[in-house]
Amino acid sequence: MKKIIAALSIVVVSATVALAGWLEDFQTAYEAENIQVAVEGALEQGTAPAEIIESALGIESLNPQNLVKALYCAGVNGIDINAAAKKYKISEDIVIAGHKQSVAECGDQVVDAQAYPNNNSRFFNPPPNGNGNGHGPRHGASPFQPEPN
């Protein structure tokens, strides 16, 4: 039993040191370089986007839009960015602006072409049964002609 407790203690201490390590590296890179370098370093150490956002939001001088841009530029999936942004109450407007900024500055590095939800978009909210009226398309009907009632 003592061996199990000792082993668990070592695991907990190691995990705490590893967590402190990436966070310290993150803050040092942010202060010495910029948020992009800090985000890329944290991702290389295996830190999840949500952990990066949570920790970075504690930095008073950091603009959340620049954080979002850095995550997109580092190749993080937009779904992961949106989930973390929602969890830590970063507005959709900031996420959209960060994505647009990342496309302008990083171009091909950005993973998602449609990286943020748009409530009016059929990409994220497909209509029920194919055509939005709940009945599905008529056989042979053109998608550009309305169905008769």
Side-chain angles (χ1 to χ4, degrees):
M1 184 69 165
K2 289 182 181 180
K3 289 181 181 181
I4 293 173
I5 292 173
L8 288 174
S9 297
I10 291 171
V11 169
V12 169
V13 169
S14 298
T16 304
V17 169
L19 175 63
W22 86 261
L23 187 53
E24 187 176 303
D25 292 346
F26 181 85
Q27 291 173 334
T28 301
Y30 172 69
E31 292 168 3
E33 300 283 334
N34 58 43
I35 189 61
Q36 188 65 48
V37 172
V39 165
E40 289 170 0
L43 290 170
E44 286 175 8
Q45 292 183 32
T47 309
E51 290 179 86
I52 294 170
I53 289 176
E54 178 184 26
S55 298
L57 289 176
I59 299 172
E60 195 171 307
S61 63
L62 179 68
N63 180 340
Q65 180 178 324
N66 292 335
L67 173 61
V68 170
K69 179 205 65 120
L71 287 164
Y72 278 117
C73 286
V76 175
N77 187 304
I79 293 170
D80 295 334
I81 295 171
N82 281 306
K86 189 176 285 188
K87 180 177 180 179
Y88 294 105
K89 297 181 179 27
I90 297 175
S91 75
E92 187 175 324
D93 291 340
I94 290 174
V95 174
I96 291 169
H99 177 259
K100 287 180 181 177
Q101 186 179 359
S102 72
V103 170
E105 293 181 22
C106 302
D108 294 340
Q109 291 173 281
V110 178
V111 173
D112 297 325
Q114 179 69 26
Y116 50 85
N118 177 346
N119 292 332
N120 297 321
S121 170
R122 287 184 164 215
F123 180 77
F124 286 98
N125 298 312
N129 298 322
N131 68 358
N133 67 6
H135 299 291
R138 285 188 332 227
H139 179 70
S142 167
F144 302 106
Q145 296 176 350
E147 290 188 49
N149 290 330

